[in-house]
Amino acid sequence: MTAEEFRRHGRAAVDWIADYWGRVESLPVRSQVQPGWVREQLPPAPPYVGEPFDAVLADLDTIVVPGLTHWQHPGFFAYFPTSTSGPAVLAELLASGLGVQGMLWQTSPACTELEQHVLDWLAAMLALPEKFTFAGTGGGVIQDTASSAILVALVAALHRISDGQVAREGIERGRYAVYTSTQTNSALEKGVRISGLGASSIRFIETRSDLSMDPDALRAVMKKDVAQGIVPVMVMATVGTTSTGAVDPVESIGRICRESEVWLHVDAAYAGVAAMCPEFRWIHQGVAAYADSYSTNPHKWMLTAFDCDACYVADRESLVGALSVLPEFLRNPATDSGAVVDYRDWQVPLGRRFRALKLWAVIRCYGVEGLRTHLRHSVALAQRFAAWVGADERFELMAPHPLSLVCFRLRGADEINRRLLEALNASGRVYLSHTVIHGAFTLRLAIGGTATRLEHVAAAWDQISRLAAVCG
Amino acid sequence: MTAEEFRRHGRAAVDWIADYWGRVESLPVRSQVQPGWVREQLPPAPPYVGEPFDAVLADLDTIVVPGLTHWQHPGFFAYFPTSTSGPAVLAELLASGLGVQGMLWQTSPACTELEQHVLDWLAAMLALPEKFTFAGTGGGVIQDTASSAILVALVAALHRISDGQVAREGIERGRYAVYTSTQTNSALEKGVRISGLGASSIRFIETRSDLSMDPDALRAVMKKDVAQGIVPVMVMATVGTTSTGAVDPVESIGRICRESEVWLHVDAAYAGVAAMCPEFRWIHQGVAAYADSYSTNPHKWMLTAFDCDACYVADRESLVGALSVLPEFLRNPATDSGAVVDYRDWQVPLGRRFRALKLWAVIRCYGVEGLRTHLRHSVALAQRFAAWVGADERFELMAPHPLSLVCFRLRGADEINRRLLEALNASGRVYLSHTVIHGAFTLRLAIGGTATRLEHVAAAWDQISRLAAVCG
């Protein structure tokens, strides 16, 4: 592809995206294809001779788009949003064109320093403590997802508590325990399995009526473990659970961790960014005093495009100690001097993209004010929606909804709610997901998409209300 | 950012990249900034009010570019290339604009099926066996890097050999051993540490004179472990080591693994893609018969832009068994039917980007023919360079160089070679890295960048030759 062709196809691709964002509302939000349909459209063998880029763009329309579930559709209310934006997409384009790889400071200083700087900015925006910044003893790093943040936090916690013995000699089966609530994301169990602790080392702590972790139950379970010679390694508190958005009492949990020198990781993947607004900053209560590590996903609700998890540690030495292996081919004077951060030691992979560029572009182009407006807008829409649900006696609200996730169901059997969910999603107008709360099948409506406005939430409620009459 | 603004800034960003690729040769390839310089240019606090995207683009030129080491510079010969290309960048742009998240088939069928399909294509292109495709018992998945491929292979191997006990109850300290050559990439040690096995479970096997693993030594070490009741879990063979490009004898290693039912992972991160050319297919000898898993990085030498590691397993059940945790909020009919692949169970993170799009675009726009041309061109340039080095009695070639990596040094003290490397890299015209071979400090010149032509390699040799006269 010549430079002129790149400019021409590049303009076409930019226009394709602008057109796509303009028309995505007219597409069915959940893909309607059957398993295997996409593969059936594709030739069994790769082309021997190259084709023009136009051919790819044409197949994007005819083969790929019908096979997509449109996460940028304003009627996408499932899981959590992965909201993208113009500045994020263009910064990703620039990062891709630059094609640098930031495994070491040396391999592209700006890739590392911009990341350090922007994560310090974000810490300030979220009122996170200085210990999480490079001015303190810790610092931030961009991970792909909260799952990876949890895994590296766990590995660092094991490193600290074992004084490096786990990294040298491995896990001792049955010796360690990890604590989280019954409402936690599956990412912790996955991380615990990958880290060699085994699923049986997790203690799922009971929750209070608001579905947040019960600190008394945590204390009791931990005490029992300690009495049996088991070493508590890490507690993971969640600020905004995937299931219902519940916020664990980080302060009370933190005090328990502090007594026993247990690592406290706070997973705020979805909700954390809300702390940018002073009125939602209560969600971080206890983080400054007690958390050893923390992560939130700007790619979810902060317009930054997947993937971008902002992960902070208070003690960077534990993390780097756990993950650093320095072979000869990576040695260089800057690393040897100790004056720089080499982010390869802060993550599972060796190589890394220039993801800081998009976080920088988003923060600069929206500003703190613009991002707050987006967050507040989502919360306001969710409160409107919850008010409509609450005023309709056919429905019940199943959990507190202080932010932008609303959990609700039709009073009555699970089967009715399953039918309602499937009817909604089959409509192509909206896409919701579900959870189970107190044993009951429950619908989740999560707001935060870049293009979602009041009219889309109102239309969703209208459709829910009408289909409820059919399914109920 | 309105649609019109996105189109306008998008065109500017596309043009910026085309201009950058046009002028990158005039920039110093290794960044010349000192630690801290980039951060000093940035304001201490984020903006309260949003700024126009033009301001970001302007700062890209004045703050970011000087802080970059230019991996797309035709004089970048360090590490291994991460070659990008027009089709890859534009496909990344499109993927970013679509903003879908492919954790489940259900969450965007095309994101999953295009990945399955393109990885089956790539398997055919590299003459990999059917067991690594979805027509067989296995399949391919895109990981971010080879490090992650190694980690998931290890976790799958532990799952298989322990019949799931490791996932349930964790590692038993001292029970397991992992084998690789002394020349291996540090990614294995990092993976072994993350997986809870501990660094002491690795056996570094001696190499033969060509720096490939000695199968007799492997057999002896493994036998000793077995005699002591230690269970061999995995052998990692490397096809193209990072240090010198050495190719381990996969067939002989594989026979040893087969006898003891040990998982064989083949890390072909750099060299694997060369098997696209029939004349280099010998590097995969033994892979079809013996490998349980395999990975190669199209982002290195196949024009696909970082990150894109193609990871294959022969037994997808072991991988999915090791990594699958299914909470209620991810349940859906497609998953329950067993008729689809949910890639979240094939990787560390839960969420995932639509990376298949760029691999698809690259294969289609270059075709098998175009990719072979690129690979052969790199190899031919490396052979020319090696011939120049070999003909100059001041230098010695330090390792076989059948592909595109040449390891060489000035005869004499390490210090002379250190000075030569630093002088070369300080010149701004070329960027090389180093390794240590048989105890001697050695320069590495790796070819494969998209823009590197004969004139650049000739200029590099000219400069090496001239600076050798000064440093030697």
Side-chain angles (χ1 to χ4, degrees), chain A residues 154 158 171-180 188-189 191-205 221 225 230-234, chain B residues 165-171:
Chain A
L154 182 57
L158 283 163
I171 298 284
E172 206 176 320
R173 179 176 287 168
R175 180 170 173 75
Y176 298 109
V178 172
Y179 306 80
T180 194
L188 180 66
E189 183 170 340
V192 160
R193 281 161 60 162
I194 292 169
S195 73
L197 284 171
S200 64
S201 66
I202 309 186
R203 310 286 181 261
F204 292 104
I205 307 299
V221 173
D225 278 335
I230 293 169
V231 179
V233 174
M234 184 172 102
Chain B
Q165 195 187 18
V166 165
R168 291 190 304 274
E169 298 168 37
I171 298 283

Short mmCIF file of all heavy atoms in Angstrom, two decimals, chain A residues 154 158 171-180 188-189 191-205 221 225 230-234, chain B residues 165-171:
data_model
loop_
_atom_site.label_atom_id
_atom_site.label_comp_id
_atom_site.label_asym_id
_atom_site.label_seq_id
_atom_site.Cartn_x
_atom_site.Cartn_y
_atom_site.Cartn_z
N LEU A 154 -2.53 -10.16 42.79
CA LEU A 154 -2.43 -11.41 43.55
C LEU A 154 -0.99 -11.92 43.57
O LEU A 154 -0.48 -12.34 44.62
CB LEU A 154 -3.36 -12.44 42.92
CG LEU A 154 -3.46 -13.81 43.58
CD1 LEU A 154 -3.88 -13.68 45.04
CD2 LEU A 154 -4.46 -14.67 42.81
N LEU A 158 1.31 -12.33 46.88
CA LEU A 158 2.01 -13.58 47.23
C LEU A 158 3.51 -13.33 47.40
O LEU A 158 4.15 -13.93 48.26
CB LEU A 158 1.78 -14.63 46.14
CG LEU A 158 0.41 -15.32 46.16
CD1 LEU A 158 0.13 -16.02 44.83
CD2 LEU A 158 0.37 -16.34 47.31
N ILE A 171 4.10 -22.24 44.94
CA ILE A 171 3.01 -22.26 45.92
C ILE A 171 3.11 -23.53 46.76
O ILE A 171 3.46 -24.59 46.25
CB ILE A 171 1.66 -22.29 45.17
CG1 ILE A 171 1.46 -21.03 44.33
CG2 ILE A 171 0.50 -22.51 46.14
CD1 ILE A 171 1.09 -19.81 45.07
N GLU A 172 2.75 -23.37 48.02
CA GLU A 172 2.61 -24.53 48.88
C GLU A 172 1.11 -24.83 48.98
O GLU A 172 0.36 -23.99 49.49
CB GLU A 172 3.17 -24.17 50.26
CG GLU A 172 3.68 -25.29 51.09
CD GLU A 172 4.28 -24.73 52.38
OE1 GLU A 172 4.96 -23.68 52.31
OE2 GLU A 172 4.04 -25.30 53.42
N ARG A 173 0.71 -25.97 48.48
CA ARG A 173 -0.73 -26.26 48.40
C ARG A 173 -1.41 -26.15 49.77
O ARG A 173 -0.93 -26.70 50.75
CB ARG A 173 -0.95 -27.66 47.83
CG ARG A 173 -2.42 -28.05 47.74
CD ARG A 173 -2.61 -29.40 47.08
NE ARG A 173 -2.36 -29.33 45.64
CZ ARG A 173 -2.24 -30.41 44.87
NH1 ARG A 173 -2.31 -31.62 45.38
NH2 ARG A 173 -2.03 -30.27 43.58
N GLY A 174 -2.53 -25.42 49.78
CA GLY A 174 -3.33 -25.34 51.01
C GLY A 174 -2.85 -24.31 52.01
O GLY A 174 -3.48 -24.11 53.05
N ARG A 175 -1.73 -23.65 51.72
CA ARG A 175 -1.18 -22.72 52.70
C ARG A 175 -1.89 -21.37 52.72
O ARG A 175 -1.97 -20.73 53.76
CB ARG A 175 0.30 -22.50 52.41
CG ARG A 175 0.99 -21.54 53.38
CD ARG A 175 2.51 -21.54 53.18
NE ARG A 175 3.16 -20.53 53.99
CZ ARG A 175 3.34 -20.60 55.29
NH1 ARG A 175 2.93 -21.66 55.94
NH2 ARG A 175 3.95 -19.62 55.95
N TYR A 176 -2.37 -20.93 51.54
CA TYR A 176 -2.87 -19.56 51.43
C TYR A 176 -4.39 -19.49 51.19
O TYR A 176 -4.97 -20.40 50.61
CB TYR A 176 -2.16 -18.86 50.26
CG TYR A 176 -0.67 -18.75 50.44
CD1 TYR A 176 0.20 -19.51 49.67
CD2 TYR A 176 -0.13 -17.89 51.40
CE1 TYR A 176 1.58 -19.41 49.83
CE2 TYR A 176 1.25 -17.79 51.57
CZ TYR A 176 2.10 -18.55 50.78
OH TYR A 176 3.45 -18.44 50.95
N ALA A 177 -4.96 -18.36 51.58
CA ALA A 177 -6.37 -18.13 51.29
C ALA A 177 -6.58 -16.71 50.78
O ALA A 177 -5.84 -15.79 51.14
CB ALA A 177 -7.23 -18.38 52.52
N VAL A 178 -7.59 -16.58 49.91
CA VAL A 178 -7.96 -15.31 49.28
C VAL A 178 -9.44 -15.09 49.56
O VAL A 178 -10.22 -16.06 49.53
CB VAL A 178 -7.68 -15.40 47.76
CG1 VAL A 178 -8.22 -14.19 47.04
CG2 VAL A 178 -6.18 -15.56 47.50
N TYR A 179 -9.84 -13.85 49.79
CA TYR A 179 -11.19 -13.56 50.24
C TYR A 179 -11.88 -12.57 49.32
O TYR A 179 -11.28 -11.58 48.89
CB TYR A 179 -11.15 -12.97 51.66
CG TYR A 179 -10.39 -13.86 52.62
CD1 TYR A 179 -8.99 -13.84 52.64
CD2 TYR A 179 -11.04 -14.75 53.46
CE1 TYR A 179 -8.27 -14.68 53.49
CE2 TYR A 179 -10.34 -15.60 54.31
CZ TYR A 179 -8.95 -15.55 54.32
OH TYR A 179 -8.25 -16.39 55.14
N THR A 180 -13.13 -12.83 49.06
CA THR A 180 -13.93 -11.90 48.28
C THR A 180 -15.38 -12.19 48.58
O THR A 180 -15.70 -13.17 49.25
CB THR A 180 -13.60 -12.03 46.78
OG1 THR A 180 -14.13 -10.92 46.08
CG2 THR A 180 -14.20 -13.32 46.20
N LEU A 188 -11.62 -13.14 39.64
CA LEU A 188 -10.76 -13.52 40.76
C LEU A 188 -10.53 -15.03 40.77
O LEU A 188 -9.40 -15.48 40.93
CB LEU A 188 -11.35 -13.07 42.11
CG LEU A 188 -10.46 -13.46 43.30
CD1 LEU A 188 -9.13 -12.73 43.26
CD2 LEU A 188 -11.15 -13.22 44.63
N GLU A 189 -11.59 -15.79 40.56
CA GLU A 189 -11.40 -17.24 40.56
C GLU A 189 -10.46 -17.66 39.43
O GLU A 189 -9.59 -18.51 39.59
CB GLU A 189 -12.73 -17.98 40.44
CG GLU A 189 -12.53 -19.49 40.50
CD GLU A 189 -13.82 -20.28 40.62
OE1 GLU A 189 -14.84 -19.71 41.04
OE2 GLU A 189 -13.79 -21.49 40.30
N GLY A 191 -8.07 -15.81 38.14
CA GLY A 191 -6.72 -15.41 38.54
C GLY A 191 -6.14 -16.35 39.58
O GLY A 191 -4.95 -16.70 39.53
N VAL A 192 -6.96 -16.76 40.51
CA VAL A 192 -6.52 -17.67 41.56
C VAL A 192 -6.11 -19.01 40.96
O VAL A 192 -5.11 -19.62 41.37
CB VAL A 192 -7.64 -17.83 42.62
CG1 VAL A 192 -7.45 -19.08 43.45
CG2 VAL A 192 -7.68 -16.59 43.52
N ARG A 193 -6.85 -19.45 39.95
CA ARG A 193 -6.48 -20.70 39.29
C ARG A 193 -5.18 -20.54 38.51
O ARG A 193 -4.30 -21.40 38.57
CB ARG A 193 -7.63 -21.17 38.40
CG ARG A 193 -8.73 -21.84 39.23
CD ARG A 193 -10.06 -21.93 38.53
NE ARG A 193 -9.99 -22.70 37.29
CZ ARG A 193 -11.07 -23.21 36.69
NH1 ARG A 193 -12.28 -23.06 37.22
NH2 ARG A 193 -10.96 -23.87 35.56
N ILE A 194 -5.06 -19.45 37.77
CA ILE A 194 -3.84 -19.25 36.98
C ILE A 194 -2.62 -19.14 37.90
O ILE A 194 -1.56 -19.67 37.60
CB ILE A 194 -3.97 -17.98 36.10
CG1 ILE A 194 -5.02 -18.22 35.01
CG2 ILE A 194 -2.62 -17.60 35.48
CD1 ILE A 194 -5.42 -16.97 34.25
N SER A 195 -2.81 -18.50 39.04
CA SER A 195 -1.67 -18.25 39.94
C SER A 195 -1.24 -19.50 40.70
O SER A 195 -0.28 -19.45 41.46
CB SER A 195 -2.04 -17.17 40.95
OG SER A 195 -2.95 -17.70 41.91
N GLY A 196 -1.93 -20.60 40.50
CA GLY A 196 -1.53 -21.85 41.14
C GLY A 196 -2.06 -22.04 42.55
O GLY A 196 -1.69 -23.00 43.23
N LEU A 197 -2.92 -21.12 43.00
CA LEU A 197 -3.48 -21.27 44.35
C LEU A 197 -4.60 -22.31 44.36
O LEU A 197 -4.84 -22.95 45.39
CB LEU A 197 -4.03 -19.93 44.86
CG LEU A 197 -3.01 -18.91 45.33
CD1 LEU A 197 -3.69 -17.58 45.60
CD2 LEU A 197 -2.30 -19.40 46.58
N GLY A 198 -5.29 -22.42 43.23
CA GLY A 198 -6.41 -23.36 43.18
C GLY A 198 -7.68 -22.74 43.71
O GLY A 198 -7.66 -21.95 44.67
N ALA A 199 -8.80 -23.09 43.08
CA ALA A 199 -10.08 -22.48 43.42
C ALA A 199 -10.44 -22.69 44.88
O ALA A 199 -11.13 -21.86 45.49
CB ALA A 199 -11.18 -23.03 42.52
N SER A 200 -9.96 -23.79 45.46
CA SER A 200 -10.35 -24.08 46.85
C SER A 200 -9.74 -23.10 47.84
O SER A 200 -10.13 -23.08 49.00
CB SER A 200 -9.96 -25.51 47.22
OG SER A 200 -8.56 -25.65 47.18
N SER A 201 -8.82 -22.26 47.39
CA SER A 201 -8.24 -21.29 48.32
C SER A 201 -9.09 -20.02 48.42
O SER A 201 -8.77 -19.13 49.21
CB SER A 201 -6.81 -20.92 47.89
OG SER A 201 -6.86 -20.24 46.67
N ILE A 202 -10.14 -19.92 47.62
CA ILE A 202 -11.00 -18.73 47.72
C ILE A 202 -12.07 -18.93 48.79
O ILE A 202 -12.70 -19.98 48.86
CB ILE A 202 -11.74 -18.43 46.41
CG1 ILE A 202 -10.79 -18.39 45.24
CG2 ILE A 202 -12.47 -17.09 46.52
CD1 ILE A 202 -11.48 -17.95 43.97
N ARG A 203 -12.25 -17.89 49.57
CA ARG A 203 -13.36 -17.88 50.53
C ARG A 203 -14.36 -16.85 50.03
O ARG A 203 -14.04 -15.66 49.95
CB ARG A 203 -12.87 -17.46 51.92
CG ARG A 203 -11.65 -18.21 52.41
CD ARG A 203 -11.97 -19.64 52.83
NE ARG A 203 -10.78 -20.30 53.31
CZ ARG A 203 -10.02 -21.13 52.58
NH1 ARG A 203 -10.35 -21.41 51.33
NH2 ARG A 203 -8.95 -21.69 53.11
N PHE A 204 -15.56 -17.31 49.72
CA PHE A 204 -16.60 -16.39 49.28
C PHE A 204 -17.39 -15.93 50.50
O PHE A 204 -18.08 -16.71 51.15
CB PHE A 204 -17.52 -17.06 48.26
CG PHE A 204 -16.84 -17.36 46.96
CD1 PHE A 204 -16.43 -18.65 46.63
CD2 PHE A 204 -16.57 -16.34 46.05
CE1 PHE A 204 -15.79 -18.93 45.43
CE2 PHE A 204 -15.92 -16.61 44.84
CZ PHE A 204 -15.53 -17.90 44.53
N ILE A 205 -17.24 -14.66 50.82
CA ILE A 205 -17.81 -14.10 52.04
C ILE A 205 -19.26 -13.68 51.81
O ILE A 205 -19.57 -13.04 50.79
CB ILE A 205 -16.97 -12.89 52.51
CG1 ILE A 205 -15.48 -13.28 52.62
CG2 ILE A 205 -17.51 -12.33 53.81
CD1 ILE A 205 -15.18 -14.38 53.62
N VAL A 221 -14.33 -15.61 59.06
CA VAL A 221 -13.76 -16.63 58.16
C VAL A 221 -12.22 -16.57 58.21
O VAL A 221 -11.54 -17.59 58.25
CB VAL A 221 -14.28 -16.45 56.72
CG1 VAL A 221 -13.56 -17.38 55.76
CG2 VAL A 221 -15.78 -16.70 56.67
N ASP A 225 -9.43 -19.42 59.41
CA ASP A 225 -8.28 -19.84 58.60
C ASP A 225 -6.98 -19.73 59.39
O ASP A 225 -6.17 -20.66 59.41
CB ASP A 225 -8.18 -18.98 57.33
CG ASP A 225 -9.11 -19.48 56.22
OD1 ASP A 225 -9.44 -20.68 56.24
OD2 ASP A 225 -9.48 -18.68 55.35
N ILE A 230 -3.65 -21.41 58.14
CA ILE A 230 -3.72 -20.93 56.76
C ILE A 230 -3.41 -19.44 56.73
O ILE A 230 -3.84 -18.69 57.62
CB ILE A 230 -5.12 -21.22 56.16
CG1 ILE A 230 -5.30 -22.74 56.03
CG2 ILE A 230 -5.32 -20.52 54.84
CD1 ILE A 230 -6.71 -23.17 55.71
N VAL A 231 -2.65 -19.01 55.74
CA VAL A 231 -2.21 -17.62 55.68
C VAL A 231 -3.11 -16.81 54.74
O VAL A 231 -3.17 -17.08 53.54
CB VAL A 231 -0.75 -17.55 55.16
CG1 VAL A 231 -0.28 -16.10 55.07
CG2 VAL A 231 0.17 -18.36 56.06
N PRO A 232 -3.81 -15.81 55.25
CA PRO A 232 -4.59 -14.94 54.37
C PRO A 232 -3.65 -14.08 53.51
O PRO A 232 -2.78 -13.40 54.06
CB PRO A 232 -5.40 -14.07 55.33
CG PRO A 232 -5.34 -14.77 56.66
CD PRO A 232 -4.01 -15.47 56.66
N VAL A 233 -3.83 -14.14 52.18
CA VAL A 233 -2.94 -13.42 51.27
C VAL A 233 -3.56 -12.11 50.79
O VAL A 233 -2.92 -11.07 50.78
CB VAL A 233 -2.63 -14.27 50.02
CG1 VAL A 233 -1.82 -13.46 49.02
CG2 VAL A 233 -1.90 -15.52 50.41
N MET A 234 -4.80 -12.21 50.37
CA MET A 234 -5.40 -11.03 49.73
C MET A 234 -6.90 -11.03 49.94
O MET A 234 -7.53 -12.09 49.93
CB MET A 234 -5.09 -11.04 48.22
CG MET A 234 -5.57 -9.81 47.47
SD MET A 234 -4.99 -9.77 45.75
CE MET A 234 -6.46 -10.28 44.88
N GLN B 165 -6.63 -31.14 39.16
CA GLN B 165 -6.37 -30.91 40.59
C GLN B 165 -5.72 -29.55 40.84
O GLN B 165 -6.01 -28.90 41.86
CB GLN B 165 -5.50 -32.03 41.16
CG GLN B 165 -5.51 -32.04 42.69
CD GLN B 165 -4.52 -33.02 43.28
OE1 GLN B 165 -3.59 -33.48 42.62
NE2 GLN B 165 -4.73 -33.37 44.54
N VAL B 166 -4.84 -29.13 39.94
CA VAL B 166 -4.18 -27.83 40.13
C VAL B 166 -5.22 -26.70 40.13
O VAL B 166 -5.18 -25.80 40.97
CB VAL B 166 -3.09 -27.60 39.06
CG1 VAL B 166 -2.66 -26.13 39.02
CG2 VAL B 166 -1.89 -28.49 39.34
N ALA B 167 -6.17 -26.76 39.20
CA ALA B 167 -7.20 -25.72 39.16
C ALA B 167 -8.06 -25.75 40.43
O ALA B 167 -8.48 -24.72 40.93
CB ALA B 167 -8.09 -25.90 37.93
N ARG B 168 -8.28 -26.94 40.95
CA ARG B 168 -9.13 -27.04 42.15
C ARG B 168 -8.37 -26.72 43.43
O ARG B 168 -8.82 -25.96 44.26
CB ARG B 168 -9.70 -28.46 42.26
CG ARG B 168 -10.75 -28.81 41.19
CD ARG B 168 -11.44 -30.13 41.50
NE ARG B 168 -10.49 -31.24 41.66
CZ ARG B 168 -10.01 -32.00 40.67
NH1 ARG B 168 -10.37 -31.76 39.41
NH2 ARG B 168 -9.17 -32.98 40.91
N GLU B 169 -7.18 -27.31 43.58
CA GLU B 169 -6.51 -27.24 44.87
C GLU B 169 -5.16 -26.53 44.85
O GLU B 169 -4.56 -26.33 45.91
CB GLU B 169 -6.31 -28.66 45.42
CG GLU B 169 -7.62 -29.39 45.66
CD GLU B 169 -7.40 -30.87 45.93
OE1 GLU B 169 -6.40 -31.21 46.59
OE2 GLU B 169 -8.21 -31.68 45.44
N GLY B 170 -4.66 -26.24 43.66
CA GLY B 170 -3.41 -25.49 43.58
C GLY B 170 -2.19 -26.38 43.39
O GLY B 170 -2.26 -27.60 43.36
N ILE B 171 -1.08 -25.68 43.27
CA ILE B 171 0.22 -26.32 43.02
C ILE B 171 0.73 -26.98 44.29
O ILE B 171 0.56 -26.45 45.39
CB ILE B 171 1.25 -25.24 42.60
CG1 ILE B 171 0.83 -24.55 41.31
CG2 ILE B 171 2.65 -25.82 42.51
CD1 ILE B 171 1.05 -25.31 40.06
#
